[in-house]
Amino acid sequence: MNALLGRNAVLLGLLACMAGVITLAFGLRRGEDRLLKAGRTYTWLILGAAVIAVAAMERALITHDFSLSYVAQNGGRQVPLMFTISTMWGALAGSILLWTLVLALYITAVAVKFRKRAADPLVAWATLVMFTVAAFFFALMLGPANPFTKVSGAIPLNGPGPNPLLQDHPLMVIHPPMLYAGYVGFTVPFAFAVAALVTGRLGEGWLLETRRWTLLAWGFLTVGIVLGGWWSYQVLGWGGFWAWDPVENASFLPWLTGTAFLHSVMVQERRGMLRVWNLSLLLATFSLTILGTFLTRSGVIDSVHSFTESAIGPWILTFFVAVLAVSIGLIGWRGDRLRSPGAIDSPISREGAFLANNLLFAAFAFVVLLGTVFPLLVAAINGNQITIGGPYFNEMTEPIVFCLLFLMAVAPALPWRKASPELLRQRLLIPAWAAGLTLVLCVALGLRGGWDTLACFALGAFAAAAALRQLILSTRRSMADGAGPWRGIVGRANGGMIVHLGVVVIAVAFAASAAYGVRTEFSMQPGQSESVAGHRVTFLGLHTVQHANRTSLVADVRVDGGQVYTPQISNYPADPGGGIGTPSVRSTPVDDVYLTIAIAPQKPGDPTVIGVTVQPLIMWLWVGGALMALGTLLAIAPGRRRRPVMPASAPVHDVARPDDGGRQLRLPAGTSAAVEVRGT
Amino acid sequence: MSERSDGQPGLSAAGAAAGAGAGVGAGVGPRRRRRTALYSALALGLVMTAFVGVLATRKSAMDRQARSPLLGLVAPPIVGTGIVDGAPFNLSSLLGKYVLVNFFASWCIPCQQEQPQLVKFATEPGGLTAVVGVLFSDTPGPAKAFMLANGGTWPVLDDPDGQLALSYGVRGPPESYLLNPDGIVLAKFIGGVDADRLEQLVTEASSGGSSS
C-alpha cells in the first residue's frame, strides 16, 4: 500500500516534470503565452507528487511497514517517534526523497512569486530548468535510489533502526532539512542564470528577483552548516566541531561561491559590471552542490558520513556533466556578447574591495576543493592512497580568512568609485583603534598563543567595530528620518553588517578554541577529583539506564562543585560496534567543559577514564551562527530602499541607499528604470 | 521584451528594469576583449573533462576496499556451531584457503544482492576459496531461511552478543574480510563484494604480488 502509493507518486512526479518541460519548450519555441501558462501549472502536480511520496514514506516509517526495504533497513519499533520521522533523511534513498520535496517546494514558491509573469520567456526558461532538475531527482527514485522497493521474501518483524549516531540527538532531526533547504535552494538562482543566458537578458532585473532567493538558500545553508558543527560537537565526542571532512567541505564549497556572489552582485546592481562573473558564480554554486552530492553519495571518497551505496554514483556524475556542459557552454556561447561596459575606476573603492573579496572567496573555494579531491587525483595519477587532513586546510585557509576579515572591516567604509584618504581616515579611525586596543589588551593580559591567534582577535575587532559603526550610523540616520531605530538594522546592507558580526564572532571563537583548548584524560575512581584549566571535575560514579532503543552506561561527573553532568556510552542492540559515546557539556559564555567516558571499566573496581576537554568561547560559535541567520533574515526583509514609495515622488533621501553612508544621492538602477517606464 | 512590461500597472519596478537592463546589456557588450569568456570556458571545459574522467574511473563503493586496522594481521578466531547444519566450526580449519568472512543479516537488502557473488566465489574452480558467514544483528531462524532461499552452503555462525563483529570492527552489514591461506587479513570490503574482483585479488596474492 505505502510502496504502491509512493512509487506511483514518484512516477507521477517524473511524468509531470517531463510534461511540464515539453509544454514549456513548445511554448517558448512558438512564443505562445497559453502554453507557457499551462506549463507552469504542472508545478502543482509536482508538488503534490512529492508530498504524497514523502507522506507515504513517513506513514510506512511510523506504522513500521517493514515490507518496504528502506523501512526494514533503517526503521525499528524501538526507535523514538522523533527519530523515526527523521529516519527518512537518515539514508540515501530517503534523503533523495527529502531533496525532491524541498525542490518541489522551491519550484512552487517560484511559481507563486512569479505568477503574473508566467508568460515571460525568462521565467518560463527558469521554470523549465527547475522542472528538468526535478525530473532528474524523480528519475533517481525510480532508478538507483528507489525508496519504495519491497523486501524480497518474508517481511521482517523489526528493523535495526537508523545508524545509532543518527538517533542520538534532536539536532539530527533539524540539521539535514536545513542543509537541504540551502543546497536545493541554489537551484532557483541557477535556473534564472541559465534563463538569463539563454534569453540574453542579462540586465539587472532578474538579479534583483533572484538575489533574495540566493540569500534565502544561503541563509539556510549557513544555518545547516553551523547546526552540523553543533551536532558533531554534541554527538561525536571528539570535542571538535569542524574537521574538514569531505561531507563538510561539500556543504562549505557552495557556501563559499554563494557568499562571493552575494557580494559581487552588489557591484553589478550598482555599476552594471561583473555580469558574466556573477552568472558564473551562480552556475558554479549549483555545480558544486551536485559535485558535493556525488562525492558524498557515490563513496569515491572515504568520509565518516558517506553512504555505502553505489549505483547512484554514475547517475549523479552524468547529471554533473550535464550541468557543467550547460553552464560552461552557455558562458562560452553568450559570455562575450553579454560582457558589461565600464571598468573599475580605482582599486581603493567599494567595487575594488568586492573584487578582492571575490578573488579571495574563489581562492578559498579552490583550496577546499583541491584538498577534498586531491586524494582522488593522486590515486588516479600514481595509485597512491593519501589523505589530506586538517593541517593542510588550516594552513592554507588561514591567510585567506585574515584577508577576508581585513576586507570586512575596510569594505563598508569604502565609497563607490573612488575613495579619498581623508574619508578613509575618518571612517576607519574607530575600527582601527578597536583593533589596536584589542591587540594591546591581549598582550597586556599575557595571552599565550601564536601571532596568528592575536592577529585574528585584532582583525576581528577591526571588522566588528566597522560593522557596528555602520549599524549605529544607519540606526541614527533612520531615527533622524523618523522611521524608528529598527529600520536601521533592516535591509540588505544593515542585515549584512549583522551577518558580518556573526562571522567575526565565529572566527574569534574558532581561533580561541583552537589556540587555548586543553584536552586530557583522567583515570578516576568514584569520589576522586581532578583539576584541569581552572576547572575541578569530580567523578561520582557510574550507573546504567535502560532506554527503549539502547542501554546506556552513565557517568556522574560534578563540575566545579556545582551541577552534575552525565557523559554516557550507549549500546544499541542493533549495533554491536562497541557502543556510542555521548558527551556531556557544561557550557558557559567563557568556556566549555566537555566530558566523555573515554574508557569504561572492564570489571568492577577498575577506574573509569573520563575525557575532559576545556575550550574557550565555544558557545559563541553557535551565537555567531544565530547572528548570521538573524542578519540574513533582516537582509531578506524589505529595507528602506524597497518600501513601496513611488520613487518619482519620494524625497531624494528616501531612495538613496543606506549603504553608501548617505553621501551619494544616486538612484538605484531599479528605481531609475521605473521612472523611465512611467514616463513613457 | 519591454513591450510586455510597458503599460502593465501591476508590474514591479524590478520587472521593468529587466527589460531596460537587457537593452543596455545587449547593445553595448561586444567591443572590448571579445573572446575572454569563450576562452575561459574552453579552458575550464578541458580541465573539467579531465576531472570528470578521474571521477568516473574511480572505484565506487560497491566492492570498495576499506581501511582496517586488521589489514596484514591474523584474523580474529571464529569458533562455534553452524546454524544451518549444526556442525561445529573453527576458522583455523580453513587455513590453506582464501577465506571470505562475510558479516550479513537476513533483513539487509545489499546482503541479498551480494549473495550470488558469494556463491560464485565459494564455488570457484580449484577449491582454493571458501566463505564463512557471520550473523550481524540477526537471529538464526530468519538467517537459516535466508541461506536456504538465496543459496550458499557455507558455514554460518551466530554472533548473539556481537563479539565477533566487535573483534573485526564491523559497523553494519554487509562487510567482508578476505583472508589469505595463512589466515592474514588481506582486504576489508564495505558493502557488497564482487566475485571477479575477489578472484583478481586472490590471483595477485598467490602470484606473490603485494597485497593492498
Side-chain angles (χ1 to χ4, degrees), chain A residues 33 69 72-73 117 119-121 151-152 156 160 163 201-206 208-209 275-276 291 294-295 298-302 306 308-310 317 320-321 324 328 331-332 335-337 339-342 373 376-377 379-380 387 573-578 580 670 673-674 677, chain B residues 1 4-8 10-22 24-26 28-30 32-39 41-42 44-45 48 51-52 54-56 58-62 64-65 67 107-110 112 136-137 161-162 165-166 170-171 190-191:
Chain A
D33 290 2
S69 64
Q73 284 175 62
R117 290 174 60 191
D120 185 337
V151 292
S152 48
N163 185 322
R201 283 167 54 184
L202 238 70
E204 279 64 53
W206 71 272
L208 289 176
E209 304 286 3
R275 288 179 189 169
V276 179
L291 177 66
F294 170 75
L295 291 178
S298 67
V300 294
I301 284 182
D302 267 323
S306 64
T308 53
E309 203 166 329
S310 66
L317 191 60
F320 176 62
V321 170
L324 268 186
I328 296 178
I331 292 281
D336 290 307
R337 267 182 287 170
R339 284 168 64 88
S340 45
V373 300
L376 285 178
L377 301 180
T387 45
D575 184 274
I580 304 292
V677 168
Chain B
M1 42 213 99
R4 193 175 287 115
S5 313
D6 288 352
Q8 276 186 20
L11 205 79
S12 69
V24 175
V28 197
R32 307 167 48 253
R33 284 184 291 159
R34 296 183 52 117
R35 295 292 166 103
T36 321
L38 178 62
Y39 291 145
L42 281 177
L44 188 65
M48 282 299 149
F51 179 56
V52 167
V54 168
L55 290 183
R58 291 298 88 203
K59 268 181 240 148
S60 65
M62 200 70 155
R64 182 164 58 125
Q65 283 171 259
R67 275 169 282 193
W107 45 262
C108 143
I109 307 300
Q112 248 171 47
F136 183 94
S137 300
D161 52 359
L166 193 58
V170 179
R171 292 286 308 159
I190 293 174

Side-chain angles (χ1 to χ4, degrees), chain A residues 16 18 105 117 149 157 164 223 225 333 428 493 610:
Chain A
M18 283 161 48
L105 287 170
R117 290 174 60 191
T149 45
L157 294 174
V223 173
I225 292 174
W333 174 47
L428 287 177
I610 302 286

Side-chain angles (χ1 to χ4, degrees), chain A residues 190-497:
Chain A
F190 168 76
F192 274 92
V194 170
L197 278 167
V198 170
T199 57
R201 283 167 54 184
L202 238 70
E204 279 64 53
W206 71 272
L207 261 185
L208 289 176
E209 304 286 3
T210 52
R211 191 188 61 88
R212 281 196 201 185
W213 295 95
T214 315
L215 200 51
L216 184 72
W218 182 89
F220 276 126
L221 188 59
T222 307
V223 173
I225 292 174
V226 173
L227 285 182
W230 200 4
W231 173 79
S232 161
Y233 182 72
Q234 296 283 355
V235 170
L236 295 184
W238 56 285
F241 42 87
W242 187 261
W244 300 106
D245 180 86
V247 168
E248 293 167 348
N249 295 347
S251 62
F252 193 43
L253 281 168
W255 188 89
L256 288 171
T257 49
T259 313
F261 169 79
L262 287 175
H263 288 94
S264 66
V265 71
M266 289 188 259
V267 180
Q268 180 174 351
E269 283 184 42
R270 188 61 184 237
R271 301 283 319 269
M273 291 184 294
L274 300 181
R275 288 179 189 169
V276 179
W277 171 249
N278 283 332
L279 284 169
S280 309
L281 280 177
L282 285 181
L283 300 175
T285 303
F286 182 71
S287 306
L288 284 171
T289 64
I290 301 298
L291 177 66
T293 309
F294 170 75
L295 291 178
T296 53
R297 305 301 163 92
S298 67
V300 294
I301 284 182
D302 267 323
S303 152
V304 283
H305 303 251
S306 64
F307 296 81
T308 53
E309 203 166 329
S310 66
I312 194 172
W315 285 62
I316 299 186
L317 191 60
T318 309
F319 187 61
F320 176 62
V321 170
V323 170
L324 268 186
V326 168
S327 304
I328 296 178
L330 279 175
I331 292 281
W333 174 47
R334 287 283 200 181
D336 290 307
R337 267 182 287 170
L338 300 170
R339 284 168 64 88
S340 45
I344 288 181
D345 305 322
S346 156
I348 314 292
S349 63
R350 182 76 65 86
E351 52 268 49
F354 280 140
L355 196 62
N357 150 307
N358 267 243
L359 293 177
L360 286 169
F361 271 109
F364 205 148
F366 179 75
V367 162
V368 175
L369 180 63
L370 188 66
T372 310
V373 300
F374 199 67
L376 285 178
L377 301 180
V378 169
I381 291 164
N382 61 13
N384 286 348
Q385 294 283 337
I386 61 157
T387 45
I388 302 270
Y392 160 82
F393 290 102
N394 290 336
E395 274 177 34
M396 295 294 282
T397 56
E398 192 183 82
I400 301 177
V401 171
F402 283 2
C403 294
L404 284 173
L405 282 174
F406 178 75
L407 271 183
M408 252 166 82
V410 175
L414 287 169
W416 293 92
R417 289 186 179 269
K418 194 166 179 12
S420 68
E422 303 81 62
L423 190 71
L424 269 187
R425 200 175 308 139
Q426 180 222 336
R427 291 186 179 178
L428 287 177
L429 187 67
I430 298 172
W433 268 106
L437 279 179
T438 307
L439 198 58
V440 169
L441 207 63
C442 286
V443 174
L445 286 176
L447 280 190
R448 30 193 189 85
W451 65 271
D452 44 354
T453 312
L454 297 185
C456 183
F457 292 167
L459 283 171
F462 194 29
L468 279 172
R469 180 182 173 275
Q470 291 292 318
L471 283 170
I472 291 168
L473 282 182
S474 67
T475 310
R476 216 185 269 164
R477 199 158 50 234
S478 78
M479 278 167 80
D481 292 352
W486 66 275
R487 272 284 169 207
I489 56 167
V490 177
R492 181 178 65 192
N494 305 319
M497 286 305 121

Side-chain angles (χ1 to χ4, degrees), chain B residues 59-192:
Chain B
K59 268 181 240 148
S60 65
M62 200 70 155
D63 165 42
R64 182 164 58 125
Q65 283 171 259
R67 275 169 282 193
S68 163
L70 281 180
L71 295 187
L73 301 180
V74 177
I78 301 177
V79 182
T81 309
I83 59 161
V84 182
D85 52 5
F89 172 81
N90 190 333
L91 184 61
S92 59
S93 69
L94 290 177
L95 285 177
K97 289 187 180 190
Y98 285 92
V99 181
L100 191 75
V101 179
N102 173 243
F103 288 83
F104 76 106
S106 60
W107 45 262
C108 143
I109 307 300
C111 303
Q112 248 171 47
Q113 290 165 347
E114 78 163 344
Q115 192 80 355
Q117 300 293 326
L118 295 177
V119 173
K120 191 171 171 217
F121 180 73
T123 55
E124 293 282 357
L128 265 175
T129 55
V131 176
V132 177
V134 180
L135 293 192
F136 183 94
S137 300
D138 203 0
T139 46
K144 196 168 169 180
F146 175 93
M147 293 301 289
L148 293 176
N150 291 293
T153 52
W154 51 81
V156 175
L157 283 90
D158 195 9
D159 184 23
D161 52 359
Q163 280 307 311
L164 286 176
L166 193 58
S167 60
Y168 276 82
V170 179
R171 292 286 308 159
E175 278 188 25
S176 304
Y177 297 80
L178 182 64
L179 319 183
N180 77 1
D182 300 325
I184 307 284
V185 179
L186 286 181
K188 171 182 180 176
F189 303 91
I190 293 174

